[in-house]
Amino acid sequence: MLNLEYFQSLFGQESTEIRCRKVLDEISPAINRLFEGFIEQTGISLGNEYYIRNYDMTLSTTYHDSRNPTNAEKKKNSDIGKKYFVGLYRKVDEKEHNIFTLELNGFSELLLIHTDINLLPFWAWVKNESINMVLESIPSPYEIFTGWKEKDIIPKDELVSFVKGCVKSRKRPWFQVGRSLPLEAQIDEDTLVKHLFEVWENLSLFRTYLNDEINTSKRANEALGILASARSIKETELMGREYNLEITSLEDYKSNGKRQAFHLYDSDQLLTKGFLYYFEHHEKFSPFQTIMIQIEGHNHIFTNVREILGQGTKQWWITKSFTTHNLDNHQVMSEAMGLLNRHGIEAKGNEYRVGSFDNESRLFIEGNDQVKKNFIDAALLFAHASRKLELPSEEVSGSIEDIDKDTEPGISEDLEPNFRIEEIFQSILDSQFTFSKGIIRDLHLNLTALDDKHFVLLSGISGTGKTQLCRLYANAVYGLEYESENPYFTIIPVRPDWTDASALFGYYSSFEKRYVKTEFLEVILNALKEREKPHFILLDEMNLARVEYYLSDYLSAVESRKEIPLHQDNLITDIPKKILIPPNVYLLGTINVDETTHTISDKVLDRAFVMTLSDVDFETFWDKADQELKVLLEREFFLLKKLHNILLEFDLHFGYRTMNEMLQKLYANLQFPDDFQMDSLEALDRVISEKVLTKIRGDERVSDMLGKIEEWLKENLSSSSISLQHVERMQKELDYYGATQFWR
């Protein structure tokens, strides 16, 4: 006999330590023994694919943490131990899927017997219009719950709208499909086992649909893997011209997919760089396995891989659309499909075919490389037809104006901002750049802590990614990749001749009788029209001019919330006479400190958060480097890092950009034929003299540093190295003149 009322009292224990220990000692053995006996009676064979998992590990870890004085305070108010579960799971492609669970939930005081699934299967069933059949497979007394703690019931007739709402808001809840009993009184073990068999039997058809969805996902992921692994494509011919094509190795992308970069070269000149994305699901647009191709920051192909699954051979036809604000979309489509046909990719109407998939062999009939090449060629031709990329050609493709937006169905929605730190952090973490959690968190706080003032200055040595961080953050807010165009992020390079506010806000020309607008003013005007959208402005190298001269009007307006006067001409209608700085303007500025820049006045510093990006994390940088480069240049990277550490002692170290450019030159040298290659140490010597030593200058304070560099060079390079000659020469100049620099 199981005393459910007593179990509930254990869940209600105030002490986390006592609660976890009691649940482990008294609930876990009884529930596990009963559930394991039930599974044995079902005839399911446990092993690598099916297995039982319970809550014991979490409870045990929490119990020991709560006894540790270091963690005890954190665990004091923990909810761990207020529920218990044991479940049957299925592992497919290293992914865990719950099949059946017995849960005792102390939050809702319920005993639940259910299948626990995330949003994706329900989203897929809604998308492929099989949701009604799935819901009919759930007997009417059974319910759909959601919530980790307290359980909310979702009526079946509201499930579709609930799922759509979750997709739109990017929420990813879990659902429990089954029945519940009150967690009270007592229950005979045989009676509970009877309930388990009853629910198991009544949910058998639902589990069939779930397993079908799991198996379909597995097959679709396999098809994605086939295309992702094809890398032997070296060239292509477009518009009568031959190009070299380079496809990089596959890299993890976020938590739901992978991506590959591809580069299109005309001889040795890079024309464009694109990305192939292989999504297990697209977090915003599709629950299905998806291929997306991006060129020049625009998505040109977005298609569902499941289209080719089924029986026999399936033709992969993809629907294409062009969405524009002010152009003839039919003309754009006609040109694009004509280009595909002329390049051997069958197209008709608004559809085109990239290949044929044999579901028996699970291979593409045309060959995996050819189908992947068709994808890339089609994307490049779409980019050309939409004037996003101009491919050299003697063909006349028609006259089409610039297209504002070129997206696949469902991707033409307005960009929506999202300031959730978790998603911003993950987006930046998934990029090719290296920034610590602390830096990202600090920038986020500095930009969002004040409701009506957003002004951040980023200083530090050159090459630490100040500009990249600003772009990454602004794009992350809108759910965009680093390479994507963001209409709400503007970079404005500061000029040394900026001496007043007209550099930002423009001026009235009495000679031309018109108002001369600036890019900065355009952003402010747009921000006033779209107050619900954050507008990011980056003033790059903002202390090339005196900041207080050109920015004073802006700072005063933000501080006082007063308008800035622009002009007094009643005939000017496109520019207001006065302008207010709305609170949805986020101003960032990068600062470099050298002899070409000005110091920042206290007036400016008082109104800004100032961040310093001088620390570099070359370990993480190296982890993200291309695998082929890492194999070839491990020794050189180690040596450059040692040199960096010497410079770091004197705050004269270099950043990511310098390290990356040195490694890229060393890597390019190794691609030469043997009779053209420099010796690896000679090449290292060259990049050190060209990228590191050039910034050394100073008085007797750099003497110790030069001595250490000289010692390092003698240990690691030849005695005739160019770098050593420079250092010895600077040491002599320092001894004689009391000051030195790299340049003679």
Side-chain angles (χ1 to χ4, degrees), residues 275-287:
F275 289 95
L276 298 107
Y277 295 87
Y278 309 93
F279 293 115
E280 294 181 13
H281 67 275
H282 191 283
E283 64 273 8
K284 188 174 181 181
F285 301 116
S286 176

Side-chain angles (χ1 to χ4, degrees), residues 135 154-161:
L135 292 177
I154 305 174
K156 292 181 185 178
D157 59 355
E158 296 178 10
L159 181 70
V160 172
S161 61

